Amino acid sequence: MNTDLLRDFLRCAETSSLTRAAVLRNTTQSNISKRLRALENYLGQTLIDRSDRPITLTQAGRDFLPVARQILSEIDKFTGRSAPWHSSEGGLSIVMPHSATVMVFPLFKEWLSHHIPDMFFAPMIANHDMAAHMIAHSEVDLAIVTRHPDVPIDERFTVFQAADIASDRLVMVTSPRAAKQKTGPIHVSHELTYIGQIWQANRDQSLASNEVQHGMAADIWAYCLAGRGRGVLPASLVEADIEAGRLALCTWGKDVAYRISLYCSPRAHRRAKRIWAFCAENQVHE
């Protein structure tokens, strides 16, 4: 029997919702329903009363619930003995934009460690398009992706469920000694990058003539620290510099907030799927 059927059943039992269970299992409601039917056919018992809203377990479902948990617990214990997980054997592969490596990813790992211990990751840096290719082809287990309502994400992401893990916003900064200057270059992310597209969609058009585009957020950060103009960067990337007085905020217009989401590949390691499911249950809502 496919153990995924048992995990689907447990999610339905825990959430009392086919829709919510489908989200947590990174699939569609119709697929969840088909899997549950397959499990019920295999057992010869009706496990879920679909006429109730929210859905409820039948007596057979309530009887089978501890059995399913025990089966999965024993299987996970057995497979865990040989599953690659220690960092020396290779952690879970996760791809993200460079800006996420400074604060977003470390804070995400720290938060996650309180709930799912003994995690090891093998991080990679890639732009939005490359991350979409890698997650769609299961070349990585997980992807951290920036999302903004004014900028469409790569269509390859749209077939997967997103779990929001953080939020961030774009800010304009400069060095304290250059803070009074209203002229000069404004360093921004290149328009082919996703962050650059967020800026293009939300900027004050009067600033456009002074823009200098860069492919890496690190380059913008370096120019700002050197006092060579203003720069538009994710707030998480420059918070420490602002607090330490190395950079100062500039007023430039509306607040540009965006979400940071986690995606899981179709053939991800089971531990990666567990992480994604936990994040989907505890999404950031701001």
Side-chain angles (χ1 to χ4, degrees):
M1 181 177 60
N2 187 342
T3 57
D4 280 341
L5 303 183
L6 298 181
R7 300 185 195 279
D8 294 338
F9 168 68
L10 291 183
R11 286 300 182 188
C12 289
E14 293 164 358
T15 62
S16 299
S17 167
L18 292 176
T19 302
R20 185 63 178 155
V23 171
L24 297 179
R25 292 291 291 147
N26 200 19
T27 188
T28 63
Q29 180 178 335
S30 62
N31 201 22
I32 281 282
S33 185
K34 290 176 183 177
R35 290 177 184 176
L36 287 174
R37 291 292 186 192
L39 179 61
E40 290 174 326
N41 291 338
Y42 179 86
L43 297 173
Q45 301 276 355
T46 299
L47 303 177
I48 291 178
D49 186 346
R50 294 165 175 80
S51 64
D52 286 346
R53 290 293 184 273
I55 61 173
T56 59
L57 297 182
T58 63
Q59 184 58 54
R62 291 191 292 272
D63 292 341
F64 184 62
L65 187 59
V67 177
R69 286 173 174 157
Q70 182 64 31
I71 292 172
L72 289 175
S73 176
E74 293 300 322
I75 290 175
D76 285 346
K77 285 180 183 178
F78 180 80
T79 57
R81 295 171 189 166
S82 58
W85 189 236
H86 193 274
S87 56
S88 63
E89 299 173 305
L92 296 179
S93 55
I94 183 168
V95 66
M96 67 195 75
H98 174 265
S99 58
T101 64
V102 178
M103 287 295 291
V104 173
F105 183 53
L107 289 176
F108 170 66
K109 285 196 300 179
E110 196 277 332
W111 169 76
L112 202 57
S113 68
H114 295 293
H115 306 282
I116 305 178
D118 302 323
M119 297 174 306
F120 296 94
F121 292 97
M124 289 176 275
I125 296 174
N127 62 21
H128 188 83
D129 295 342
M130 181 56 68
H133 171 85
M134 296 173 79
I135 204 75
H137 291 82
S138 292
E139 295 177 5
V140 291
D141 293 301
L142 299 163
I144 292 177
V145 178
T146 301
R147 295 196 302 152
H148 188 278
D150 293 340
V151 182
I153 60 173
D154 190 289
E155 62 180 10
R156 287 168 289 189
F157 285 122
T158 61
V159 300
F160 304 110
Q161 296 282 351
D164 292 337
I165 60 171
S167 61
D168 209 340
R169 60 192 179 93
L170 291 181
V171 295
M172 185 179 290
V173 295
T174 188
S175 68
R177 63 177 179 273
K180 295 182 179 180
Q181 298 177 8
K182 301 299 182 181
T183 59
I186 300 174
H187 304 281
V188 301
S189 295
H190 196 279
E191 60 188 6
L192 294 180
T193 68
Y194 194 83
I195 290 291
Q197 291 171 35
I198 294 177
W199 167 253
Q200 295 288 325
N202 292 274
R203 71 183 177 187
D204 181 339
Q205 294 299 320
S206 66
L207 302 174
S209 60
N210 292 328
E211 288 180 6
V212 178
Q213 297 187 357
H214 301 273
M216 293 285 290
D219 294 332
I220 301 173
W221 176 75
Y223 276 106
C224 292
L225 285 176
R228 297 173 62 184
R230 294 167 286 172
V232 178
L233 289 164
S236 62
L237 192 63
V238 293
E239 283 175 349
D241 293 306
I242 293 171
E243 290 181 5
R246 292 186 292 267
L247 291 174
L249 284 171
C250 305
T251 302
W252 64 276
K254 65 179 181 179
D255 185 54
V256 181
Y258 54 88
R259 293 184 181 276
I260 299 168
S261 304
L262 186 70
Y263 286 85
C264 187
S265 74
R267 295 191 294 275
H269 190 282
R270 62 183 180 81
R271 291 184 183 268
K273 292 181 178 179
R274 179 187 175 196
I275 288 169
W276 184 91
F278 179 81
C279 293
E281 282 187 294
N282 297 273
Q283 297 194 68
V284 173
H285 298 289
E286 294 185 7

